[in-house]
Amino acid sequence: MQGQPTSQEQELVAKVVAGDRRAFTELVEPFIPRLLATSQRMLGVHDQAEDAVQNALASAWIVRARLDPARPVLPFLTTITLNKCRDKLRRRKAAQFLGFGNAAILDLASDTAPSPEIEAVDRQLLQRTHAEIQRLPLRHREALILVAIDGRSQSEAADLLGISEKAVEALVYRARKTLREKVSRE
């Protein structure tokens, strides 16, 4: 769990609540890379991740009156971003069910391995792992991404997901176990 916000963050939040757009930009700008990384890991498609973060920030501006200067802003923004990712995943699932469009092609970074053979094997493993992460139940995926990939504490993940730390621990354990079984089997 994050500590108390800095006095500068508190001042910015007060200005944002009052409707200062410049203060909003200054407040959220440092968090955008982290929100984008979380969104990218949830959705697997860079363009959709950017859209989700943009929508989350627009929603945060709309509900800015809910900001509390005594509380850190990142958990608030992360919760909104996760909700926007969930919305996109629901729409994607509905579109796939109804037969609209193909599954999104994943934007995977190539590995700089010295040989083409090693590069191919690593890429296949990365694609399999990413595909299996996308197949995890939503709660398992969220917990895994927040704790194991984004590096958040179990306490912070519990606060963001609205569950206990023990539940986060169990979800991450099950997600890792499932991934180990699925990826090693193939």
PDB file of all heavy atoms in Angstrom, residues 19-57:
ATOM      1  N   GLY A  19     -11.124  22.271 -10.610  1.00  0.00           N
ATOM      2  CA  GLY A  19     -11.325  22.373 -12.053  1.00  0.00           C
ATOM      3  C   GLY A  19     -10.136  22.846 -12.859  1.00  0.00           C
ATOM      4  O   GLY A  19     -10.285  23.199 -14.028  1.00  0.00           O
ATOM      5  N   ASP A  20      -8.938  22.835 -12.306  1.00  0.00           N
ATOM      6  CA  ASP A  20      -7.730  23.288 -12.997  1.00  0.00           C
ATOM      7  C   ASP A  20      -7.181  22.173 -13.892  1.00  0.00           C
ATOM      8  O   ASP A  20      -6.630  21.185 -13.411  1.00  0.00           O
ATOM      9  CB  ASP A  20      -6.685  23.719 -11.965  1.00  0.00           C
ATOM     10  CG  ASP A  20      -5.447  24.342 -12.581  1.00  0.00           C
ATOM     11  OD1 ASP A  20      -5.144  24.072 -13.764  1.00  0.00           O
ATOM     12  OD2 ASP A  20      -4.762  25.098 -11.861  1.00  0.00           O
ATOM     13  N   ARG A  21      -7.327  22.338 -15.222  1.00  0.00           N
ATOM     14  CA  ARG A  21      -6.888  21.310 -16.178  1.00  0.00           C
ATOM     15  C   ARG A  21      -5.366  21.164 -16.204  1.00  0.00           C
ATOM     16  O   ARG A  21      -4.852  20.061 -16.379  1.00  0.00           O
ATOM     17  CB  ARG A  21      -7.395  21.623 -17.577  1.00  0.00           C
ATOM     18  CG  ARG A  21      -8.876  21.380 -17.728  1.00  0.00           C
ATOM     19  CD  ARG A  21      -9.314  21.687 -19.156  1.00  0.00           C
ATOM     20  NE  ARG A  21     -10.738  21.623 -19.284  1.00  0.00           N
ATOM     21  CZ  ARG A  21     -11.392  20.574 -19.775  1.00  0.00           C
ATOM     22  NH1 ARG A  21     -10.740  19.531 -20.174  1.00  0.00           N
ATOM     23  NH2 ARG A  21     -12.701  20.596 -19.867  1.00  0.00           N
ATOM     24  N   ARG A  22      -4.647  22.257 -16.084  1.00  0.00           N
ATOM     25  CA  ARG A  22      -3.175  22.176 -16.075  1.00  0.00           C
ATOM     26  C   ARG A  22      -2.694  21.371 -14.873  1.00  0.00           C
ATOM     27  O   ARG A  22      -1.762  20.587 -14.975  1.00  0.00           O
ATOM     28  CB  ARG A  22      -2.560  23.568 -16.065  1.00  0.00           C
ATOM     29  CG  ARG A  22      -2.612  24.230 -17.401  1.00  0.00           C
ATOM     30  CD  ARG A  22      -1.734  25.475 -17.428  1.00  0.00           C
ATOM     31  NE  ARG A  22      -2.120  26.272 -18.570  1.00  0.00           N
ATOM     32  CZ  ARG A  22      -2.516  27.519 -18.513  1.00  0.00           C
ATOM     33  NH1 ARG A  22      -2.533  28.163 -17.369  1.00  0.00           N
ATOM     34  NH2 ARG A  22      -2.865  28.162 -19.610  1.00  0.00           N
ATOM     35  N   ALA A  23      -3.323  21.581 -13.753  1.00  0.00           N
ATOM     36  CA  ALA A  23      -2.948  20.826 -12.547  1.00  0.00           C
ATOM     37  C   ALA A  23      -3.247  19.343 -12.751  1.00  0.00           C
ATOM     38  O   ALA A  23      -2.470  18.490 -12.311  1.00  0.00           O
ATOM     39  CB  ALA A  23      -3.708  21.364 -11.333  1.00  0.00           C
ATOM     40  N   PHE A  24      -4.341  19.030 -13.441  1.00  0.00           N
ATOM     41  CA  PHE A  24      -4.675  17.632 -13.722  1.00  0.00           C
ATOM     42  C   PHE A  24      -3.582  16.985 -14.564  1.00  0.00           C
ATOM     43  O   PHE A  24      -3.118  15.883 -14.271  1.00  0.00           O
ATOM     44  CB  PHE A  24      -6.035  17.533 -14.425  1.00  0.00           C
ATOM     45  CG  PHE A  24      -6.455  16.112 -14.700  1.00  0.00           C
ATOM     46  CD1 PHE A  24      -6.912  15.298 -13.670  1.00  0.00           C
ATOM     47  CD2 PHE A  24      -6.388  15.584 -15.975  1.00  0.00           C
ATOM     48  CE1 PHE A  24      -7.298  13.984 -13.907  1.00  0.00           C
ATOM     49  CE2 PHE A  24      -6.779  14.279 -16.234  1.00  0.00           C
ATOM     50  CZ  PHE A  24      -7.234  13.476 -15.192  1.00  0.00           C
ATOM     51  N   THR A  25      -3.161  17.680 -15.613  1.00  0.00           N
ATOM     52  CA  THR A  25      -2.096  17.158 -16.469  1.00  0.00           C
ATOM     53  C   THR A  25      -0.823  16.937 -15.662  1.00  0.00           C
ATOM     54  O   THR A  25      -0.182  15.891 -15.771  1.00  0.00           O
ATOM     55  CB  THR A  25      -1.826  18.131 -17.641  1.00  0.00           C
ATOM     56  OG1 THR A  25      -3.032  18.270 -18.392  1.00  0.00           O
ATOM     57  CG2 THR A  25      -0.712  17.626 -18.531  1.00  0.00           C
ATOM     58  N   GLU A  26      -0.472  17.901 -14.853  1.00  0.00           N
ATOM     59  CA  GLU A  26       0.738  17.797 -14.023  1.00  0.00           C
ATOM     60  C   GLU A  26       0.617  16.655 -13.009  1.00  0.00           C
ATOM     61  O   GLU A  26       1.589  15.966 -12.715  1.00  0.00           O
ATOM     62  CB  GLU A  26       0.972  19.126 -13.297  1.00  0.00           C
ATOM     63  CG  GLU A  26       2.321  19.221 -12.625  1.00  0.00           C
ATOM     64  CD  GLU A  26       2.564  20.584 -11.987  1.00  0.00           C
ATOM     65  OE1 GLU A  26       1.943  21.589 -12.409  1.00  0.00           O
ATOM     66  OE2 GLU A  26       3.370  20.631 -11.037  1.00  0.00           O
ATOM     67  N   LEU A  27      -0.593  16.442 -12.507  1.00  0.00           N
ATOM     68  CA  LEU A  27      -0.831  15.397 -11.514  1.00  0.00           C
ATOM     69  C   LEU A  27      -0.716  13.998 -12.125  1.00  0.00           C
ATOM     70  O   LEU A  27      -0.070  13.118 -11.563  1.00  0.00           O
ATOM     71  CB  LEU A  27      -2.215  15.576 -10.885  1.00  0.00           C
ATOM     72  CG  LEU A  27      -2.639  14.546  -9.848  1.00  0.00           C
ATOM     73  CD1 LEU A  27      -1.780  14.665  -8.595  1.00  0.00           C
ATOM     74  CD2 LEU A  27      -4.116  14.749  -9.490  1.00  0.00           C
ATOM     75  N   VAL A  28      -1.337  13.789 -13.279  1.00  0.00           N
ATOM     76  CA  VAL A  28      -1.416  12.430 -13.835  1.00  0.00           C
ATOM     77  C   VAL A  28      -0.236  12.057 -14.733  1.00  0.00           C
ATOM     78  O   VAL A  28       0.036  10.868 -14.921  1.00  0.00           O
ATOM     79  CB  VAL A  28      -2.740  12.196 -14.604  1.00  0.00           C
ATOM     80  CG1 VAL A  28      -3.923  12.409 -13.679  1.00  0.00           C
ATOM     81  CG2 VAL A  28      -2.840  13.032 -15.851  1.00  0.00           C
ATOM     82  N   GLU A  29       0.454  13.023 -15.291  1.00  0.00           N
ATOM     83  CA  GLU A  29       1.519  12.742 -16.251  1.00  0.00           C
ATOM     84  C   GLU A  29       2.570  11.747 -15.742  1.00  0.00           C
ATOM     85  O   GLU A  29       2.956  10.836 -16.473  1.00  0.00           O
ATOM     86  CB  GLU A  29       2.177  14.046 -16.694  1.00  0.00           C
ATOM     87  CG  GLU A  29       2.630  14.015 -18.129  1.00  0.00           C
ATOM     88  CD  GLU A  29       2.953  15.413 -18.629  1.00  0.00           C
ATOM     89  OE1 GLU A  29       3.644  16.171 -17.924  1.00  0.00           O
ATOM     90  OE2 GLU A  29       2.502  15.729 -19.740  1.00  0.00           O
ATOM     91  N   PRO A  30       3.041  11.864 -14.501  1.00  0.00           N
ATOM     92  CA  PRO A  30       4.052  10.903 -14.037  1.00  0.00           C
ATOM     93  C   PRO A  30       3.524   9.460 -13.933  1.00  0.00           C
ATOM     94  O   PRO A  30       4.304   8.515 -13.941  1.00  0.00           O
ATOM     95  CB  PRO A  30       4.435  11.418 -12.639  1.00  0.00           C
ATOM     96  CG  PRO A  30       3.919  12.801 -12.555  1.00  0.00           C
ATOM     97  CD  PRO A  30       2.794  12.919 -13.518  1.00  0.00           C
ATOM     98  N   PHE A  31       2.212   9.292 -13.842  1.00  0.00           N
ATOM     99  CA  PHE A  31       1.630   7.964 -13.669  1.00  0.00           C
ATOM    100  C   PHE A  31       1.272   7.288 -14.991  1.00  0.00           C
ATOM    101  O   PHE A  31       0.981   6.093 -15.014  1.00  0.00           O
ATOM    102  CB  PHE A  31       0.370   8.035 -12.791  1.00  0.00           C
ATOM    103  CG  PHE A  31       0.610   8.652 -11.442  1.00  0.00           C
ATOM    104  CD1 PHE A  31      -0.119   9.755 -11.031  1.00  0.00           C
ATOM    105  CD2 PHE A  31       1.560   8.129 -10.580  1.00  0.00           C
ATOM    106  CE1 PHE A  31       0.096  10.324  -9.783  1.00  0.00           C
ATOM    107  CE2 PHE A  31       1.783   8.686  -9.332  1.00  0.00           C
ATOM    108  CZ  PHE A  31       1.055   9.792  -8.935  1.00  0.00           C
ATOM    109  N   ILE A  32       1.276   8.024 -16.075  1.00  0.00           N
ATOM    110  CA  ILE A  32       0.826   7.475 -17.356  1.00  0.00           C
ATOM    111  C   ILE A  32       1.631   6.254 -17.793  1.00  0.00           C
ATOM    112  O   ILE A  32       1.032   5.252 -18.201  1.00  0.00           O
ATOM    113  CB  ILE A  32       0.777   8.579 -18.441  1.00  0.00           C
ATOM    114  CG1 ILE A  32      -0.351   9.563 -18.115  1.00  0.00           C
ATOM    115  CG2 ILE A  32       0.585   7.969 -19.835  1.00  0.00           C
ATOM    116  CD1 ILE A  32      -0.422  10.776 -19.015  1.00  0.00           C
ATOM    117  N   PRO A  33       2.971   6.258 -17.713  1.00  0.00           N
ATOM    118  CA  PRO A  33       3.702   5.051 -18.143  1.00  0.00           C
ATOM    119  C   PRO A  33       3.298   3.803 -17.353  1.00  0.00           C
ATOM    120  O   PRO A  33       3.144   2.720 -17.919  1.00  0.00           O
ATOM    121  CB  PRO A  33       5.169   5.407 -17.905  1.00  0.00           C
ATOM    122  CG  PRO A  33       5.206   6.897 -17.956  1.00  0.00           C
ATOM    123  CD  PRO A  33       3.900   7.355 -17.391  1.00  0.00           C
ATOM    124  N   ARG A  34       3.104   3.945 -16.070  1.00  0.00           N
ATOM    125  CA  ARG A  34       2.718   2.798 -15.249  1.00  0.00           C
ATOM    126  C   ARG A  34       1.297   2.330 -15.578  1.00  0.00           C
ATOM    127  O   ARG A  34       1.035   1.132 -15.668  1.00  0.00           O
ATOM    128  CB  ARG A  34       2.840   3.153 -13.771  1.00  0.00           C
ATOM    129  CG  ARG A  34       2.717   1.958 -12.875  1.00  0.00           C
ATOM    130  CD  ARG A  34       3.287   2.218 -11.530  1.00  0.00           C
ATOM    131  NE  ARG A  34       3.225   1.014 -10.731  1.00  0.00           N
ATOM    132  CZ  ARG A  34       3.518   0.962  -9.460  1.00  0.00           C
ATOM    133  NH1 ARG A  34       3.936   2.045  -8.848  1.00  0.00           N
ATOM    134  NH2 ARG A  34       3.425  -0.151  -8.790  1.00  0.00           N
ATOM    135  N   LEU A  35       0.388   3.279 -15.782  1.00  0.00           N
ATOM    136  CA  LEU A  35      -0.984   2.928 -16.158  1.00  0.00           C
ATOM    137  C   LEU A  35      -1.002   2.259 -17.530  1.00  0.00           C
ATOM    138  O   LEU A  35      -1.726   1.273 -17.735  1.00  0.00           O
ATOM    139  CB  LEU A  35      -1.870   4.179 -16.178  1.00  0.00           C
ATOM    140  CG  LEU A  35      -2.067   4.894 -14.844  1.00  0.00           C
ATOM    141  CD1 LEU A  35      -2.792   6.220 -15.053  1.00  0.00           C
ATOM    142  CD2 LEU A  35      -2.817   4.005 -13.865  1.00  0.00           C
ATOM    143  N   LEU A  36      -0.202   2.766 -18.437  1.00  0.00           N
ATOM    144  CA  LEU A  36      -0.131   2.189 -19.774  1.00  0.00           C
ATOM    145  C   LEU A  36       0.437   0.776 -19.730  1.00  0.00           C
ATOM    146  O   LEU A  36      -0.062  -0.129 -20.409  1.00  0.00           O
ATOM    147  CB  LEU A  36       0.704   3.080 -20.694  1.00  0.00           C
ATOM    148  CG  LEU A  36       0.729   2.719 -22.162  1.00  0.00           C
ATOM    149  CD1 LEU A  36      -0.675   2.674 -22.747  1.00  0.00           C
ATOM    150  CD2 LEU A  36       1.578   3.710 -22.941  1.00  0.00           C
ATOM    151  N   ALA A  37       1.453   0.564 -18.910  1.00  0.00           N
ATOM    152  CA  ALA A  37       2.040  -0.785 -18.781  1.00  0.00           C
ATOM    153  C   ALA A  37       1.012  -1.763 -18.213  1.00  0.00           C
ATOM    154  O   ALA A  37       0.878  -2.897 -18.712  1.00  0.00           O
ATOM    155  CB  ALA A  37       3.282  -0.735 -17.888  1.00  0.00           C
ATOM    156  N   THR A  38       0.278  -1.349 -17.214  1.00  0.00           N
ATOM    157  CA  THR A  38      -0.757  -2.207 -16.632  1.00  0.00           C
ATOM    158  C   THR A  38      -1.824  -2.530 -17.676  1.00  0.00           C
ATOM    159  O   THR A  38      -2.222  -3.683 -17.845  1.00  0.00           O
ATOM    160  CB  THR A  38      -1.410  -1.528 -15.415  1.00  0.00           C
ATOM    161  OG1 THR A  38      -0.401  -1.290 -14.424  1.00  0.00           O
ATOM    162  CG2 THR A  38      -2.515  -2.379 -14.818  1.00  0.00           C
ATOM    163  N   SER A  39      -2.253  -1.511 -18.384  1.00  0.00           N
ATOM    164  CA  SER A  39      -3.282  -1.688 -19.407  1.00  0.00           C
ATOM    165  C   SER A  39      -2.784  -2.587 -20.536  1.00  0.00           C
ATOM    166  O   SER A  39      -3.510  -3.465 -21.008  1.00  0.00           O
ATOM    167  CB  SER A  39      -3.689  -0.314 -19.941  1.00  0.00           C
ATOM    168  OG  SER A  39      -4.719  -0.425 -20.872  1.00  0.00           O
ATOM    169  N   GLN A  40      -1.553  -2.386 -20.959  1.00  0.00           N
ATOM    170  CA  GLN A  40      -0.960  -3.212 -22.028  1.00  0.00           C
ATOM    171  C   GLN A  40      -0.926  -4.675 -21.605  1.00  0.00           C
ATOM    172  O   GLN A  40      -1.244  -5.567 -22.383  1.00  0.00           O
ATOM    173  CB  GLN A  40       0.457  -2.721 -22.333  1.00  0.00           C
ATOM    174  CG  GLN A  40       1.269  -3.623 -23.230  1.00  0.00           C
ATOM    175  CD  GLN A  40       0.913  -3.515 -24.692  1.00  0.00           C
ATOM    176  OE1 GLN A  40       0.580  -2.443 -25.156  1.00  0.00           O
ATOM    177  NE2 GLN A  40       0.978  -4.612 -25.399  1.00  0.00           N
ATOM    178  N   ARG A  41      -0.583  -4.921 -20.362  1.00  0.00           N
ATOM    179  CA  ARG A  41      -0.514  -6.299 -19.871  1.00  0.00           C
ATOM    180  C   ARG A  41      -1.900  -6.924 -19.745  1.00  0.00           C
ATOM    181  O   ARG A  41      -2.065  -8.123 -19.932  1.00  0.00           O
ATOM    182  CB  ARG A  41       0.230  -6.333 -18.553  1.00  0.00           C
ATOM    183  CG  ARG A  41       1.714  -6.049 -18.752  1.00  0.00           C
ATOM    184  CD  ARG A  41       2.457  -5.998 -17.441  1.00  0.00           C
ATOM    185  NE  ARG A  41       3.852  -5.694 -17.676  1.00  0.00           N
ATOM    186  CZ  ARG A  41       4.499  -4.694 -17.121  1.00  0.00           C
ATOM    187  NH1 ARG A  41       3.885  -3.897 -16.268  1.00  0.00           N
ATOM    188  NH2 ARG A  41       5.768  -4.480 -17.384  1.00  0.00           N
ATOM    189  N   MET A  42      -2.880  -6.118 -19.425  1.00  0.00           N
ATOM    190  CA  MET A  42      -4.246  -6.630 -19.312  1.00  0.00           C
ATOM    191  C   MET A  42      -4.848  -6.937 -20.677  1.00  0.00           C
ATOM    192  O   MET A  42      -5.520  -7.946 -20.857  1.00  0.00           O
ATOM    193  CB  MET A  42      -5.150  -5.623 -18.600  1.00  0.00           C
ATOM    194  CG  MET A  42      -4.986  -5.558 -17.106  1.00  0.00           C
ATOM    195  SD  MET A  42      -5.440  -7.074 -16.268  1.00  0.00           S
ATOM    196  CE  MET A  42      -7.168  -7.200 -16.661  1.00  0.00           C
ATOM    197  N   LEU A  43      -4.606  -6.060 -21.634  1.00  0.00           N
ATOM    198  CA  LEU A  43      -5.279  -6.162 -22.929  1.00  0.00           C
ATOM    199  C   LEU A  43      -4.445  -6.848 -24.010  1.00  0.00           C
ATOM    200  O   LEU A  43      -4.996  -7.421 -24.937  1.00  0.00           O
ATOM    201  CB  LEU A  43      -5.704  -4.766 -23.404  1.00  0.00           C
ATOM    202  CG  LEU A  43      -6.696  -4.059 -22.495  1.00  0.00           C
ATOM    203  CD1 LEU A  43      -6.893  -2.615 -22.926  1.00  0.00           C
ATOM    204  CD2 LEU A  43      -8.019  -4.802 -22.472  1.00  0.00           C
ATOM    205  N   GLY A  44      -3.127  -6.739 -23.903  1.00  0.00           N
ATOM    206  CA  GLY A  44      -2.260  -7.392 -24.872  1.00  0.00           C
ATOM    207  C   GLY A  44      -2.120  -6.677 -26.198  1.00  0.00           C
ATOM    208  O   GLY A  44      -1.376  -7.121 -27.054  1.00  0.00           O
ATOM    209  N   VAL A  45      -2.822  -5.585 -26.403  1.00  0.00           N
ATOM    210  CA  VAL A  45      -2.756  -4.842 -27.657  1.00  0.00           C
ATOM    211  C   VAL A  45      -2.479  -3.377 -27.317  1.00  0.00           C
ATOM    212  O   VAL A  45      -3.259  -2.746 -26.594  1.00  0.00           O
ATOM    213  CB  VAL A  45      -4.083  -4.969 -28.457  1.00  0.00           C
ATOM    214  CG1 VAL A  45      -4.007  -4.184 -29.752  1.00  0.00           C
ATOM    215  CG2 VAL A  45      -4.396  -6.428 -28.730  1.00  0.00           C
ATOM    216  N   HIS A  46      -1.375  -2.861 -27.838  1.00  0.00           N
ATOM    217  CA  HIS A  46      -0.910  -1.527 -27.460  1.00  0.00           C
ATOM    218  C   HIS A  46      -1.951  -0.435 -27.737  1.00  0.00           C
ATOM    219  O   HIS A  46      -2.194   0.421 -26.879  1.00  0.00           O
ATOM    220  CB  HIS A  46       0.400  -1.205 -28.173  1.00  0.00           C
ATOM    221  CG  HIS A  46       1.008   0.085 -27.740  1.00  0.00           C
ATOM    222  ND1 HIS A  46       1.608   0.240 -26.512  1.00  0.00           N
ATOM    223  CD2 HIS A  46       1.070   1.291 -28.353  1.00  0.00           C
ATOM    224  CE1 HIS A  46       2.026   1.495 -26.378  1.00  0.00           C
ATOM    225  NE2 HIS A  46       1.719   2.143 -27.488  1.00  0.00           N
ATOM    226  N   ASP A  47      -2.559  -0.462 -28.907  1.00  0.00           N
ATOM    227  CA  ASP A  47      -3.542   0.580 -29.240  1.00  0.00           C
ATOM    228  C   ASP A  47      -4.727   0.564 -28.281  1.00  0.00           C
ATOM    229  O   ASP A  47      -5.207   1.616 -27.853  1.00  0.00           O
ATOM    230  CB  ASP A  47      -4.040   0.413 -30.674  1.00  0.00           C
ATOM    231  CG  ASP A  47      -2.950   0.710 -31.704  1.00  0.00           C
ATOM    232  OD1 ASP A  47      -1.945   1.348 -31.336  1.00  0.00           O
ATOM    233  OD2 ASP A  47      -3.121   0.302 -32.871  1.00  0.00           O
ATOM    234  N   GLN A  48      -5.198  -0.627 -27.948  1.00  0.00           N
ATOM    235  CA  GLN A  48      -6.317  -0.729 -27.013  1.00  0.00           C
ATOM    236  C   GLN A  48      -5.897  -0.285 -25.621  1.00  0.00           C
ATOM    237  O   GLN A  48      -6.693   0.313 -24.885  1.00  0.00           O
ATOM    238  CB  GLN A  48      -6.861  -2.149 -26.985  1.00  0.00           C
ATOM    239  CG  GLN A  48      -7.588  -2.532 -28.251  1.00  0.00           C
ATOM    240  CD  GLN A  48      -8.195  -3.920 -28.180  1.00  0.00           C
ATOM    241  OE1 GLN A  48      -8.196  -4.569 -27.134  1.00  0.00           O
ATOM    242  NE2 GLN A  48      -8.723  -4.375 -29.304  1.00  0.00           N
ATOM    243  N   ALA A  49      -4.653  -0.573 -25.257  1.00  0.00           N
ATOM    244  CA  ALA A  49      -4.149  -0.150 -23.951  1.00  0.00           C
ATOM    245  C   ALA A  49      -4.110   1.372 -23.863  1.00  0.00           C
ATOM    246  O   ALA A  49      -4.517   1.956 -22.856  1.00  0.00           O
ATOM    247  CB  ALA A  49      -2.759  -0.734 -23.705  1.00  0.00           C
ATOM    248  N   GLU A  50      -3.637   2.004 -24.923  1.00  0.00           N
ATOM    249  CA  GLU A  50      -3.615   3.474 -24.941  1.00  0.00           C
ATOM    250  C   GLU A  50      -5.028   4.043 -24.842  1.00  0.00           C
ATOM    251  O   GLU A  50      -5.257   5.012 -24.119  1.00  0.00           O
ATOM    252  CB  GLU A  50      -2.940   3.974 -26.220  1.00  0.00           C
ATOM    253  CG  GLU A  50      -1.440   3.822 -26.213  1.00  0.00           C
ATOM    254  CD  GLU A  50      -0.797   4.335 -27.495  1.00  0.00           C
ATOM    255  OE1 GLU A  50      -1.484   4.421 -28.547  1.00  0.00           O
ATOM    256  OE2 GLU A  50       0.404   4.634 -27.444  1.00  0.00           O
ATOM    257  N   ASP A  51      -5.956   3.435 -25.580  1.00  0.00           N
ATOM    258  CA  ASP A  51      -7.354   3.882 -25.510  1.00  0.00           C
ATOM    259  C   ASP A  51      -7.906   3.747 -24.101  1.00  0.00           C
ATOM    260  O   ASP A  51      -8.610   4.638 -23.605  1.00  0.00           O
ATOM    261  CB  ASP A  51      -8.240   3.080 -26.472  1.00  0.00           C
ATOM    262  CG  ASP A  51      -7.996   3.424 -27.928  1.00  0.00           C
ATOM    263  OD1 ASP A  51      -7.355   4.461 -28.214  1.00  0.00           O
ATOM    264  OD2 ASP A  51      -8.448   2.636 -28.795  1.00  0.00           O
ATOM    265  N   ALA A  52      -7.606   2.618 -23.456  1.00  0.00           N
ATOM    266  CA  ALA A  52      -8.114   2.387 -22.100  1.00  0.00           C
ATOM    267  C   ALA A  52      -7.577   3.439 -21.125  1.00  0.00           C
ATOM    268  O   ALA A  52      -8.325   3.967 -20.300  1.00  0.00           O
ATOM    269  CB  ALA A  52      -7.754   0.981 -21.629  1.00  0.00           C
ATOM    270  N   VAL A  53      -6.290   3.756 -21.235  1.00  0.00           N
ATOM    271  CA  VAL A  53      -5.697   4.760 -20.338  1.00  0.00           C
ATOM    272  C   VAL A  53      -6.289   6.132 -20.632  1.00  0.00           C
ATOM    273  O   VAL A  53      -6.635   6.881 -19.712  1.00  0.00           O
ATOM    274  CB  VAL A  53      -4.159   4.777 -20.456  1.00  0.00           C
ATOM    275  CG1 VAL A  53      -3.560   5.960 -19.705  1.00  0.00           C
ATOM    276  CG2 VAL A  53      -3.573   3.476 -19.922  1.00  0.00           C
ATOM    277  N   GLN A  54      -6.439   6.456 -21.915  1.00  0.00           N
ATOM    278  CA  GLN A  54      -7.029   7.744 -22.269  1.00  0.00           C
ATOM    279  C   GLN A  54      -8.459   7.854 -21.727  1.00  0.00           C
ATOM    280  O   GLN A  54      -8.842   8.885 -21.155  1.00  0.00           O
ATOM    281  CB  GLN A  54      -7.021   7.912 -23.788  1.00  0.00           C
ATOM    282  CG  GLN A  54      -7.437   9.281 -24.243  1.00  0.00           C
ATOM    283  CD  GLN A  54      -7.264   9.461 -25.748  1.00  0.00           C
ATOM    284  OE1 GLN A  54      -7.131   8.498 -26.493  1.00  0.00           O
ATOM    285  NE2 GLN A  54      -7.269  10.692 -26.189  1.00  0.00           N
ATOM    286  N   ASN A  55      -9.235   6.788 -21.877  1.00  0.00           N
ATOM    287  CA  ASN A  55     -10.596   6.788 -21.342  1.00  0.00           C
ATOM    288  C   ASN A  55     -10.598   6.877 -19.821  1.00  0.00           C
ATOM    289  O   ASN A  55     -11.452   7.541 -19.222  1.00  0.00           O
ATOM    290  CB  ASN A  55     -11.346   5.534 -21.793  1.00  0.00           C
ATOM    291  CG  ASN A  55     -11.642   5.531 -23.270  1.00  0.00           C
ATOM    292  OD1 ASN A  55     -11.667   6.577 -23.913  1.00  0.00           O
ATOM    293  ND2 ASN A  55     -11.856   4.350 -23.831  1.00  0.00           N
ATOM    294  N   ALA A  56      -9.641   6.197 -19.187  1.00  0.00           N
ATOM    295  CA  ALA A  56      -9.543   6.244 -17.726  1.00  0.00           C
ATOM    296  C   ALA A  56      -9.242   7.661 -17.246  1.00  0.00           C
ATOM    297  O   ALA A  56      -9.835   8.137 -16.274  1.00  0.00           O
ATOM    298  CB  ALA A  56      -8.478   5.272 -17.237  1.00  0.00           C
ATOM    299  N   LEU A  57      -8.316   8.332 -17.927  1.00  0.00           N
ATOM    300  CA  LEU A  57      -7.972   9.694 -17.525  1.00  0.00           C
ATOM    301  C   LEU A  57      -9.142  10.655 -17.766  1.00  0.00           C
ATOM    302  O   LEU A  57      -9.390  11.550 -16.951  1.00  0.00           O
ATOM    303  CB  LEU A  57      -6.710  10.163 -18.247  1.00  0.00           C
ATOM    304  CG  LEU A  57      -5.436   9.405 -17.866  1.00  0.00           C
ATOM    305  CD1 LEU A  57      -4.262   9.871 -18.708  1.00  0.00           C
ATOM    306  CD2 LEU A  57      -5.131   9.533 -16.382  1.00  0.00           C
TER     307      LEU A  57
END
